[in-house]
Amino acid sequence: MSNPPSPPSPSSPSSLGGAVRVLVNGEPRELAAPATVSTLIAQLGFAAGTVAVERNREVVPRRDHGTTELVSGDELEVVTFVGGG
């Protein structure tokens, strides 16, 4: 009799059928892999260029949103711009 196989690591892109597990503003979120900062912004319902994003305590320049791939375990802060007067 053998032991059942171990489940995939949470940081493995193949876990949960290709899901990427990240924290967004402190809340857990699962995204379909592959995921970029741009796909996250779209899934959150924001238009490109209307938010600032920090990934693992480093600001992601807007020009890099489409090429910055997210991996399980990433911690993101998404901040919207608010005008007032």
Side-chain angles (χ1 to χ4, degrees):
M1 191 167 176
S2 65
N3 292 329
S6 298
S9 165
S11 63
S12 167
S14 63
S15 66
L16 298 175
V20 177
R21 300 170 82 183
V22 298
L23 285 179
V24 179
N25 296 343
E27 298 291 325
R29 182 174 284 270
E30 292 182 8
L31 307 168
T36 65
V37 171
S38 289
T39 57
L40 171 66
I41 291 169
Q43 287 184 14
L44 293 173
F46 296 112
T50 63
V51 297
V53 179
E54 181 182 273
R55 176 179 171 242
N56 302 326
R57 300 188 180 261
E58 292 187 21
V59 173
V60 179
R62 190 174 297 143
R63 69 180 176 273
D64 296 338
H65 286 185
T67 58
T68 301
E69 190 167 333
L70 303 178
V71 297
S72 288
D74 279 347
E75 295 182 19
L76 300 118
E77 293 293 325
V78 179
V79 181
T80 60
F81 299 111
V82 178

